[in-house]
């Protein structure tokens, strides 16, 4: 067979709109002109959902999508992160934000200096209190202020990592509008029958419920329809994370009233039996719930989700090798982590970027599949660990919260917690999705106090350190005063420093 005949000529992506377009829009801009893209779009209704993505997410840079472009979406609203309420007991609160790294002083991290100071007075439990003045994004959220990240690395505002909150339906439309003009065919249908080769390996063709047939060299299953039709080994490698994430139902509802009050950030509240996530948008709010159905009575469940909510079963987990042969599983076909931290969309967008780096041009896709699977597993497990971190450290006494402890967490997450508890350092892996500073902030904020501090702190003159730290905190105070206030209806970019 000639080299020409070995080339990929057609790629088919099948899935629901909100999972299809993040993949299709990105790879459409990278596809060679001689490869056709067929999009089998399931345009049926889906449950309401909000997406909250950081503006510095590399997906936006890859796509050339600016904050100004995001602001054109009808529901777009900007914030600095999410507020975790009642995770450490009733009345507790923690502001979870993205953050640039705090500047070290004489090569010593600030949290290490604060720990040394607390230990010198035999009060290590005061670490979180002493550290709080240096968490500028969290302080801004607490007082209802916001600004964009400064490009000046000397400015305290360079620490900020704003988030865009948007109705998933509007986000999908925005991405669709941003798709390239390459060879693309869109079919409104769903897979009905999958025809495989006689040896039971590669997929030959897919019959759709509208009577059409699609033949492609690579099939991308973004929502699980193809995998369910094939069954067998394609559904056998699911890695459940339900032990550390003990919820089996997911529900959501759209509230058409504008968000009340000045706060614009997402609130993630730990409640009896589950978690309630309320995301304010420009002209509405979206409530999403994950909960353990066996811990709620019928009336409690109805009260939690409300009469208008759409409820479905929920089994969190992921697969090790989503790319097998000429079938690549992405989105909910490969992983389901739920709405907390917009984990599902975060992973899907990361998968799309990995695929763009390894788009096959020849029918032998072995190398591309192997590298995609390797990088995807790293991304999925890092996202899993960061998402599970506050669950592992929660201090609630009611079920299922009291039964989620560290002992049921992945080994890699336990290792990170143990290392920080021992030495105050974060274990950093290749291709990290989340800031090292965010890991530090959560662990300190949730009460993890290192047993010993950096040996370099022993040589510090704490009198001089006190003055330098006071100057740094003062710079943060001044930046906080200059920030603009949050407005619960802000959907434009009127949040610059004032």
């Amino acid at each position: 067979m000639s080299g020409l005949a070995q080339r990929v000529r057609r790629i088919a992506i099948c899935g629901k709109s909100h999972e299809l377009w993040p993949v299709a829009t990105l790879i459409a801009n990278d596809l060679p002109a001689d490869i056709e893209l067929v999009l089998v779009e399931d345009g049926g209704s889906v449950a309401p959902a909000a997406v909250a993505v950081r503006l510095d997410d590399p997906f936006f840079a890859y796509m050339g999508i600016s904050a100004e472009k995001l602001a054109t979406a009808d529901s777009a609203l900007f914030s600095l992160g999410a507020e975790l309420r009642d995770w450490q007991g009733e009345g507790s609160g923690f502001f979870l934000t993205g953050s640039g790294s705090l500047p070290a002083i004489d090569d010593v991290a600030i949290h290490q200096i604060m720990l040394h100071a607390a230990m010198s007075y035999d009060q290590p439990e005061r670490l979180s209190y002493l550290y709080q003045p240096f968490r500028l994004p969290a302080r801004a959220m607490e007082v209802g202020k916001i600004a964009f990240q400064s490009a000046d690395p000397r400015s305290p505002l360079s620490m900020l990592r704003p988030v865009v909150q948007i109705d998933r339906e509007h986000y999908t439309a925005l991405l669709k509008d941003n798709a390239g003009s390459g060879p693309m065919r869109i079919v409104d249908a769903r897979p009905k029958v999958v025809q495989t080769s006689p040896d039971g390996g590669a997929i030959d063709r897919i019959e759709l419920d509208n009577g059409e047939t699609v033949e492609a060299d690579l099939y991308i299953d973004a929502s699980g329809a193809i995998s369910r039709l094939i069954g067998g080994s394609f559904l056998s490698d699911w890695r459940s994370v339900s032990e550390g994430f003990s919820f089996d139902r997911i529900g959501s509802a759209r509230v058409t009233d504008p968000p009340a009050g000045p706060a614009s950030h997402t609130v993630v509240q730990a409640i009896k039996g589950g978690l309630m996530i309320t995301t304010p948008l420009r002209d509405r709010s979206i409530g999403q719930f994950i909960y353990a159905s066996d811990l709620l009575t019928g009336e409690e469940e109805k009260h939690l989700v409300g009469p208008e909510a759409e409820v479905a079963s929920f089994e969190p987990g992921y697969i090790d090798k989503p790319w097998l042969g000429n079938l690549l599983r992405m989105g909910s076909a490969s992983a389901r982590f739920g709405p907390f931290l917009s984990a599902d969309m975060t992973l899907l967008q990361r998968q799309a970027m990995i695929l763009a780096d390894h788009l096959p041009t020849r029918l032998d896709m072995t190398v591309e599949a192997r590298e995609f699977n390797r990088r995807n597993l790293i991304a999925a497990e890092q996202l899993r660990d960061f998402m599970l971190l506050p669950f592992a450290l929660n201090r609630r006494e009611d079920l299922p919260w009291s039964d989620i402890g560290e002992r049921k967490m992945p080994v890699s997450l336990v290792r990170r917690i143990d290392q920080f508890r021992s030495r105050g350092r974060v274990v950093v892996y290749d291709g990290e999705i989340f800031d090292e500073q965010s890991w530090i902030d959560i662990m300190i904020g949730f009460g993890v106090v290192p047993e010993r501090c950096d040996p370099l702190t022993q040589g510090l003159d704490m009198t001089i350190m006190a003055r330098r730290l006071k100057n740094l905190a003062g710079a943060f105070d001044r930046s906080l005063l200059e920030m603009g206030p949050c407005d619960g209806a802000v959907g434009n970019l009127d949040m610059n420093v004032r």
Side-chain angles (χ1 to χ4, degrees):
M1 188 175 291
S2 69
L4 184 63
Q6 293 286 333
R7 292 185 59 81
V8 169
R9 290 301 186 188
R10 183 178 297 118
I11 296 175
I13 307 177
C14 303
K16 295 183 180 297
S17 300
H18 66 276
E19 294 183 293
L20 180 146
W21 284 106
V23 181
T25 301
L26 190 144
I27 69 171
N29 294 318
D30 283 348
L31 275 182
D34 61 344
I35 298 181
E36 180 189 12
L37 190 61
V38 178
L39 307 180
V40 181
E41 182 177 9
D42 179 356
S45 63
V46 295
V51 173
V53 184
R54 277 173 40 169
L55 297 185
D56 67 339
D57 189 304
F59 180 84
F60 292 144
Y62 207 116
M63 290 295 304
I65 297 177
S66 64
E68 289 78 9
K69 176 70 173 179
L70 291 166
T72 63
D74 289 342
S75 58
L77 187 66
F78 298 95
S79 77
L80 290 176
E83 181 181 358
L84 308 190
R85 290 182 183 170
D86 301 334
W87 288 61
Q88 301 173 74
E90 297 297 329
S92 65
F94 176 80
F95 291 97
L96 175 56
T97 69
S99 175
S101 297
L102 281 168
I105 300 180
D106 292 345
D107 296 324
V108 181
I110 287 178
H111 73 277
Q112 295 280 5
I113 299 173
M114 294 293 96
L115 177 61
H116 176 67
M119 285 182 167
S120 66
Y121 286 96
D122 198 25
Q123 295 179 321
E125 71 280 357
R126 285 174 56 83
L127 172 61
S128 180
Y129 171 79
L130 295 173
Y131 182 65
Q132 184 62 21
F134 304 98
R135 295 194 63 219
L136 179 61
R139 292 177 60 194
M141 287 182 66
E142 187 173 13
V143 297
K145 291 199 171 185
I146 192 170
F148 277 124
Q149 178 183 354
S150 171
D152 182 357
R154 298 167 299 178
S155 169
L157 297 182
S158 65
M159 299 283 296
L160 304 180
R161 299 293 186 270
V163 171
V164 61
Q165 297 162 191
I166 184 171
D167 190 310
R168 187 172 64 184
E169 183 178 300
H170 294 164
Y171 188 58
T172 301
L174 184 147
L175 293 178
K176 186 174 183 178
D177 290 342
N178 211 60
S181 56
M184 180 188 303
R185 181 164 67 95
I186 304 173
V187 182
D188 185 5
R190 302 174 186 176
K192 181 179 179 181
V193 177
V194 176
Q195 298 285 351
T196 59
S197 59
D199 61 4
I203 297 175
D204 281 345
R205 63 183 60 85
I206 294 178
E207 298 176 15
L208 307 179
D209 62 359
N210 67 351
E212 294 187 43
T213 298
V214 173
E215 296 184 12
D217 301 307
L218 174 65
Y219 296 87
I220 299 175
D221 183 9
S223 301
I226 298 176
S227 301
R228 286 190 292 271
L229 289 171
I230 295 176
S233 61
F234 286 96
L235 298 176
S236 64
D237 57 347
W238 187 258
R239 282 195 182 189
S240 175
V241 296
S242 59
E243 281 197 350
F245 202 58
S246 309
F247 309 105
D248 65 346
R249 293 288 187 276
I250 183 168
S252 63
R254 184 179 284 112
V255 180
T256 55
D257 294 332
S264 64
H265 58 261
T266 297
V267 174
V268 186
Q269 186 171 8
I271 58 176
K272 176 185 176 182
L275 197 66
M276 179 169 61
I277 304 171
T278 305
T279 304
L281 306 176
R282 189 188 313 181
D283 58 350
R284 70 197 73 181
S285 294
I286 291 181
Q288 295 170 273
F289 318 90
I290 49 177
Y291 60 97
S293 59
D294 62 333
L295 296 175
L296 301 177
T297 66
E299 288 302 315
E300 287 173 329
E301 186 173 351
K302 290 179 182 178
H303 177 74
L304 171 63
V305 301
E308 303 298 324
E310 299 182 38
V311 180
S313 61
F314 179 51
E315 183 185 357
Y318 59 100
I319 55 180
D320 282 351
K321 296 179 179 180
W323 192 338
L324 296 174
N326 68 340
L327 173 62
L328 169 56
R329 293 168 290 175
M330 300 176 70
S332 60
S334 66
R336 290 190 290 275
F337 291 128
F340 180 49
L341 302 182
S342 288
D344 288 338
M345 185 59 72
T346 298
L347 181 59
L348 176 60
Q349 293 183 166
R350 186 58 57 109
Q351 289 176 327
M353 290 187 293
I354 296 172
L355 175 59
D357 289 340
H358 303 287
L359 274 173
T361 58
R362 297 175 64 86
L363 296 184
D364 183 357
M365 309 172 193
T366 306
V367 174
E368 290 88 348
R370 182 170 61 243
E371 186 61 14
F372 180 93
N373 288 339
R374 184 188 70 82
R375 292 179 60 186
N376 175 77
L377 183 61
I378 291 173
E381 293 188 339
Q382 287 185 0
L383 179 59
R384 173 204 65 190
D385 286 359
F386 189 81
M387 180 192 73
L388 290 177
L389 178 61
F391 289 91
L393 301 177
N394 91 88
R395 299 180 189 173
R396 291 183 64 93
E397 297 179 354
D398 55 318
L399 292 172
W401 296 94
S402 60
D403 197 40
I404 294 177
E406 295 175 38
R407 71 185 186 280
K408 293 188 175 181
M409 291 296 158
V411 173
S412 54
L413 175 56
V414 173
R415 184 182 301 118
R416 288 193 196 244
I417 296 172
D418 287 347
Q419 285 286 331
F420 190 81
R421 182 176 285 125
S422 173
R423 302 182 297 121
R425 296 182 183 275
V426 173
V427 178
V428 179
Y429 299 101
D430 291 339
E432 286 283 357
I433 297 177
F434 298 97
D435 310 303
E436 180 182 3
Q437 193 65 55
S438 296
W439 285 92
I440 293 171
D441 291 352
I442 293 176
M443 284 195 267
I444 291 178
F446 273 67
V448 179
V449 178
E451 296 167 356
R452 56 186 183 275
C453 51
D454 190 327
L456 291 176
T457 60
Q458 302 302 320
L460 298 177
D461 184 327
M462 293 304 290
T463 301
I464 296 176
M465 284 297 109
R467 289 199 297 268
R468 295 176 69 175
L469 290 168
K470 183 177 180 179
N471 289 338
L472 180 60
F476 284 3
D477 291 343
R478 290 189 293 275
S479 293
L480 192 60
L481 289 173
E482 294 170 354
M483 288 186 192
C486 291
D487 184 330
V490 170
N492 51 41
L493 304 184
D494 293 336
M495 61 181 71
N496 297 314
V497 177
R498 298 180 181 181

